[in-house]
Coordinates of all heavy atoms in Angstrom, one line a residue:
M104 N 13.7 1.7 12.4 CA 12.8 1.5 11.3 C 11.4 2.0 11.5 O 10.7 1.5 12.3 CB 12.7 0.0 11.0 CG 11.9 -0.4 9.8 SD 12.1 -2.1 9.2 CE 11.5 -3.1 10.6
A105 N 11.2 3.2 11.0 CA 9.9 3.9 11.3 C 8.8 3.4 10.5 O 8.9 3.2 9.3 CB 10.1 5.4 11.1
S106 N 7.6 3.2 11.1 CA 6.4 2.8 10.4 C 5.7 4.1 9.9 O 5.7 5.1 10.6 CB 5.5 2.0 11.3 OG 6.1 0.9 11.7
K107 N 5.1 4.1 8.8 CA 4.4 5.2 8.3 C 3.4 4.8 7.3 O 3.3 3.6 6.9 CB 5.3 6.2 7.7 CG 6.2 5.6 6.5 CD 7.3 6.6 6.1 CE 8.3 6.0 5.2 NZ 9.4 6.8 4.9
F108 N 2.6 5.7 6.8 CA 1.6 5.5 5.8 C 2.2 5.9 4.4 O 2.9 6.8 4.3 CB 0.3 6.2 6.1 CG -0.5 5.6 7.2 CD1 -0.4 6.0 8.5 CD2 -1.5 4.6 6.9 CE1 -1.1 5.4 9.5 CE2 -2.3 4.0 7.9 CZ -2.0 4.4 9.2
I109 N 1.8 5.1 3.5 CA 2.2 5.4 2.2 C 0.9 5.4 1.2 O 0.0 4.8 1.5 CB 3.2 4.4 1.5 CG1 2.7 2.9 1.7 CG2 4.6 4.5 2.2 CD1 3.7 1.9 1.2
V110 N 1.0 6.2 0.2 CA -0.1 6.3 -0.8 C 0.3 5.5 -2.0 O 1.4 5.7 -2.6 CB -0.4 7.7 -1.2 CG1 -1.6 7.7 -2.2 CG2 -0.7 8.6 0.0
V111 N -0.5 4.5 -2.3 CA -0.2 3.6 -3.4 C -1.3 3.8 -4.5 O -2.4 3.9 -4.2 CB -0.2 2.1 -3.0 CG1 0.0 1.2 -4.2 CG2 0.9 1.9 -2.0
K112 N -0.9 4.0 -5.7 CA -1.8 4.1 -6.8 C -1.9 2.8 -7.5 O -0.9 2.3 -8.0 CB -1.3 5.2 -7.8 CG -2.3 5.5 -8.9 CD -1.9 6.8 -9.7 CE -3.0 7.2 -10.6 NZ -2.8 8.4 -11.3
C113 N -3.1 2.3 -7.6 CA -3.4 1.1 -8.2 C -3.4 1.2 -9.7 O -3.5 2.3 -10.3 CB -4.7 0.5 -7.7 SG -5.2 -1.0 -8.4
E114 N -3.3 0.1 -10.4 CA -3.3 0.1 -11.9 C -4.7 0.7 -12.4 O -4.8 1.2 -13.5 CB -3.1 -1.3 -12.4 CG -1.8 -1.9 -12.1 CD -1.6 -3.4 -12.4 OE1 -2.7 -4.0 -12.7 OE2 -0.5 -3.9 -12.4
C115 N -5.7 0.6 -11.6 CA -7.1 1.0 -12.0 C -7.2 2.5 -11.8 O -8.2 3.1 -12.2 CB -8.1 0.3 -11.2 SG -8.3 0.8 -9.5
G116 N -6.2 3.2 -11.1 CA -6.2 4.6 -10.9 C -6.6 5.1 -9.5 O -6.4 6.2 -9.2
N117 N -7.1 4.1 -8.7 CA -7.4 4.4 -7.3 C -6.2 4.7 -6.5 O -5.2 3.9 -6.6 CB -8.2 3.2 -6.8 CG -8.5 3.4 -5.3 OD1 -8.9 4.5 -4.9 ND2 -8.3 2.4 -4.5
E118 N -6.2 5.7 -5.7 CA -5.1 6.0 -4.8 C -5.5 5.6 -3.4 O -6.6 6.0 -2.9 CB -4.6 7.4 -4.9 CG -3.9 7.7 -6.1 CD -3.3 9.1 -6.2 OE1 -3.5 9.9 -5.2 OE2 -2.8 9.5 -7.2
Q119 N -4.7 4.9 -2.7 CA -5.2 4.4 -1.3 C -4.0 4.5 -0.4 O -2.9 4.2 -0.6 CB -5.6 2.9 -1.6 CG -6.3 2.3 -0.4 CD -7.0 1.0 -0.9 OE1 -7.6 1.0 -2.0 NE2 -6.9 0.0 -0.1
N120 N -4.4 4.9 0.8 CA -3.4 5.0 1.9 C -3.3 3.6 2.6 O -4.3 3.0 2.9 CB -3.9 5.9 3.0 CG -3.8 7.4 2.6 OD1 -3.5 7.7 1.5 ND2 -4.0 8.3 3.5
I121 N -2.0 3.2 2.7 CA -1.8 1.9 3.4 C -0.7 2.0 4.4 O 0.1 2.9 4.2 CB -1.5 0.7 2.4 CG1 -0.1 0.9 1.7 CG2 -2.6 0.6 1.3 CD1 0.3 -0.3 0.9
F122 N -0.7 1.2 5.4 CA 0.3 1.2 6.4 C 1.6 0.5 5.8 O 1.4 -0.6 5.3 CB -0.2 0.5 7.6 CG 0.6 0.6 8.8 CD1 1.1 1.8 9.2 CD2 0.9 -0.5 9.6 CE1 2.0 1.9 10.4 CE2 1.7 -0.5 10.7 CZ 2.2 0.8 11.1
S123 N 2.7 1.2 5.9 CA 3.9 0.6 5.4 C 4.4 -0.7 5.9 O 5.1 -1.4 5.3 CB 5.0 1.6 5.5 OG 5.4 1.8 6.8
H124 N 3.9 -1.0 7.2 CA 4.3 -2.2 7.8 C 3.1 -3.0 8.2 O 3.0 -3.6 9.2 CB 5.2 -2.0 9.1 CG 6.5 -1.5 8.7 ND1 6.8 -0.2 8.2 CD2 7.8 -2.1 8.8 CE1 8.1 -0.1 8.0 NE2 8.7 -1.2 8.3
S125 N 2.1 -3.1 7.3 CA 0.9 -3.8 7.6 C 1.2 -5.3 7.8 O 2.0 -5.9 7.1 CB 0.0 -3.7 6.3 OG -1.2 -4.5 6.6
S126 N 0.5 -5.8 8.7 CA 0.7 -7.2 9.1 C -0.2 -8.2 8.3 O -0.3 -9.4 8.5 CB 0.5 -7.5 10.6 OG -0.8 -7.1 10.9
R127 N -1.1 -7.6 7.4 CA -2.0 -8.4 6.6 C -2.0 -7.8 5.2 O -1.7 -6.7 5.0 CB -3.4 -8.4 7.2 CG -3.9 -7.1 7.5 CD -5.1 -7.2 8.5 NE -5.7 -5.9 8.8 CZ -6.5 -5.2 8.1 NH1 -7.0 -5.7 7.0 NH2 -6.9 -4.0 8.4
P128 N -2.4 -8.6 4.2 CA -2.5 -8.2 2.9 C -3.5 -7.1 2.7 O -4.5 -7.0 3.4 CB -3.0 -9.4 2.1 CG -2.8 -10.6 3.0 CD -2.8 -10.0 4.4
I129 N -3.3 -6.2 1.7 CA -4.2 -5.1 1.5 C -4.6 -5.2 0.0 O -3.8 -5.2 -0.9 CB -3.5 -3.7 1.7 CG1 -3.0 -3.6 3.2 CG2 -4.4 -2.6 1.4 CD1 -1.9 -2.7 3.5
D130 N -6.0 -5.1 -0.2 CA -6.5 -5.1 -1.5 C -7.0 -3.7 -1.9 O -7.5 -2.9 -1.1 CB -7.6 -6.1 -1.6 CG -7.2 -7.6 -1.5 OD1 -6.0 -7.8 -1.7 OD2 -8.0 -8.4 -0.9
C131 N -7.0 -3.4 -3.2 CA -7.6 -2.2 -3.7 C -9.1 -2.2 -3.4 O -9.8 -3.1 -3.6 CB -7.4 -2.1 -5.2 SG -8.1 -0.7 -5.9
K132 N -9.5 -1.1 -2.9 CA -11.0 -1.0 -2.5 C -11.9 -0.8 -3.8 O -13.1 -1.1 -3.7 CB -11.2 0.3 -1.6 CG -10.7 0.1 -0.2 CD -10.8 1.4 0.6 CE -10.1 1.2 2.0 NZ -9.9 2.5 2.6
V133 N -11.3 -0.5 -4.9 CA -12.1 -0.3 -6.1 C -12.1 -1.6 -7.0 O -13.2 -2.1 -7.3 CB -11.5 0.9 -6.9 CG1 -12.3 1.0 -8.2 CG2 -11.7 2.2 -6.1
C134 N -11.0 -2.1 -7.3 CA -11.0 -3.2 -8.3 C -10.6 -4.5 -7.5 O -10.7 -5.7 -8.2 CB -9.9 -3.0 -9.4 SG -8.3 -3.0 -8.9
G135 N -10.2 -4.5 -6.3 CA -9.9 -5.7 -5.6 C -8.6 -6.4 -5.8 O -8.3 -7.4 -5.2
K136 N -7.7 -5.7 -6.6 CA -6.4 -6.3 -6.8 C -5.6 -6.2 -5.6 O -5.7 -5.3 -4.7 CB -5.7 -5.5 -7.9 CG -5.7 -6.2 -9.2 CD -4.8 -5.5 -10.2 CE -4.9 -6.2 -11.5 NZ -4.5 -5.4 -12.7
R137 N -4.7 -7.1 -5.4 CA -3.8 -7.1 -4.2 C -2.8 -5.9 -4.4 O -2.0 -5.9 -5.3 CB -3.0 -8.5 -4.1 CG -2.0 -8.6 -3.0 CD -2.6 -8.5 -1.6 NE -3.9 -9.2 -1.5 CZ -4.1 -10.4 -1.1 NH1 -3.1 -11.2 -0.9 NH2 -5.3 -11.0 -0.9
L138 N -2.8 -5.0 -3.5 CA -1.9 -3.9 -3.5 C -0.6 -4.1 -2.8 O 0.5 -3.8 -3.2 CB -2.5 -2.6 -2.9 CG -3.7 -2.0 -3.7 CD1 -4.2 -0.7 -3.0 CD2 -3.2 -1.6 -5.1
A139 N -0.7 -4.8 -1.6 CA 0.5 -5.0 -0.8 C 0.3 -6.4 -0.1 O -0.8 -6.8 0.3 CB 0.7 -3.9 0.1
S140 N 1.4 -7.1 0.1 CA 1.5 -8.3 0.8 C 2.4 -8.1 2.0 O 3.3 -7.4 2.0 CB 2.1 -9.4 -0.1 OG 1.3 -9.7 -1.2
S141 N 2.0 -8.8 3.1 CA 2.7 -8.7 4.3 C 4.0 -9.6 4.2 O 4.0 -10.7 3.6 CB 1.9 -9.2 5.5 OG 2.7 -9.3 6.6
S142 N 5.1 -9.1 4.7 CA 6.4 -9.8 4.7 C 6.9 -10.0 6.0 O 8.0 -10.6 6.2 CB 7.4 -9.0 3.8 OG 7.8 -7.9 4.5
G143 N 6.1 -9.6 7.1 CA 6.6 -9.7 8.4 C 7.4 -8.5 8.8 O 7.6 -8.3 10.0
G144 N 7.7 -7.7 7.9 CA 8.3 -6.4 8.1 C 7.6 -5.4 7.3 O 6.4 -5.1 7.3
K145 N 8.4 -4.7 6.4 CA 7.8 -3.8 5.5 C 6.9 -4.5 4.4 O 7.4 -5.5 3.9 CB 8.9 -2.9 4.8 CG 8.4 -1.7 4.0 CD 9.5 -0.8 3.6 CE 8.9 0.4 2.9 NZ 9.9 1.4 2.5
A146 N 5.8 -3.9 4.2 CA 4.9 -4.5 3.2 C 5.5 -4.5 1.8 O 6.2 -3.5 1.5 CB 3.5 -3.8 3.2
I147 N 5.2 -5.5 1.0 CA 5.7 -5.5 -0.4 C 4.6 -5.1 -1.3 O 3.5 -5.7 -1.3 CB 6.1 -7.0 -0.7 CG1 7.2 -7.4 0.3 CG2 6.6 -7.1 -2.1 CD1 7.4 -8.9 0.2
I148 N 4.9 -4.1 -2.0 CA 3.9 -3.6 -3.0 C 3.8 -4.5 -4.2 O 4.9 -4.8 -4.9 CB 4.3 -2.2 -3.5 CG1 4.5 -1.2 -2.3 CG2 3.2 -1.6 -4.4 CD1 3.3 -1.1 -1.4
T149 N 2.7 -5.1 -4.5 CA 2.6 -6.1 -5.5 C 1.9 -5.6 -6.8 O 2.1 -6.1 -7.9 CB 1.9 -7.3 -5.0 OG1 0.6 -6.9 -4.5 CG2 2.6 -8.0 -4.0
N150 N 1.1 -4.5 -6.7 CA 0.4 -3.9 -7.8 C 0.5 -2.4 -7.7 O 0.3 -1.9 -6.5 CB -1.0 -4.4 -8.0 CG -1.1 -5.8 -8.6 OD1 -0.7 -5.9 -9.8 ND2 -1.6 -6.8 -7.9
G151 N 0.6 -1.7 -8.7 CA 0.6 -0.2 -8.6 C 1.9 0.2 -8.1 O 2.9 -0.5 -8.1
K152 N 2.0 1.5 -7.7 CA 3.2 2.1 -7.3 C 3.0 3.1 -6.2 O 1.9 3.7 -6.1 CB 3.9 2.8 -8.5 CG 3.1 3.9 -9.2 CD 3.7 4.4 -10.3 CE 2.9 5.5 -11.0 NZ 3.5 6.1 -12.2
I153 N 4.0 3.4 -5.5 CA 4.0 4.3 -4.4 C 4.1 5.7 -5.0 O 5.0 6.0 -5.8 CB 5.2 4.1 -3.4 CG1 5.1 2.7 -2.8 CG2 5.2 5.2 -2.3 CD1 6.3 2.3 -2.0
V154 N 3.1 6.6 -4.6 CA 3.1 7.9 -5.1 C 3.5 8.9 -4.1 O 3.9 10.0 -4.4 CB 1.7 8.3 -5.8 CG1 1.5 7.5 -7.0 CG2 0.6 8.1 -4.8
K155 N 3.4 8.6 -2.8 CA 3.7 9.5 -1.7 C 3.9 8.7 -0.5 O 3.3 7.7 -0.2 CB 2.5 10.4 -1.5 CG 2.8 11.7 -0.7 CD 1.7 12.5 -0.4 CE 1.1 13.2 -1.7 NZ -0.1 14.0 -1.4
E156 N 4.9 9.2 0.4 CA 5.1 8.7 1.7 C 4.7 9.7 2.7 O 5.2 10.9 2.7 CB 6.6 8.2 1.9 CG 7.0 7.1 0.9 CD 8.3 6.5 1.2 OE1 9.0 7.0 2.1 OE2 8.6 5.5 0.5
L157 N 3.9 9.3 3.6 CA 3.4 10.3 4.6 C 4.1 10.0 6.0 O 4.3 8.9 6.4 CB 1.9 10.0 4.9 CG 1.0 10.0 3.7 CD1 -0.4 9.6 4.0 CD2 1.0 11.4 3.0
E158 N 4.6 11.1 6.6 CA 5.3 10.9 7.8 C 4.4 10.7 9.0 O 3.3 11.1 9.0 CB 6.1 12.3 8.1 CG 7.2 12.5 7.1 CD 8.2 11.4 7.0 OE1 8.5 10.8 8.0 OE2 8.7 11.1 6.0
Ligands
LIG348 ZN1 -7.5 -1.0 -8.2

């Protein structure tokens, strides 16, 4: 199970790089919405969508 960075596009239009296996929640830097929640493994995208996966 490889860890990597993913680009998530928020509902507000902001695109943000996040760690795919982040151990803590990640909020949008622009509007503050929760982009991803920690699940103990792969982060769960809660708002917006994945637009790119970076190796
Ligand atoms: Zn946002």
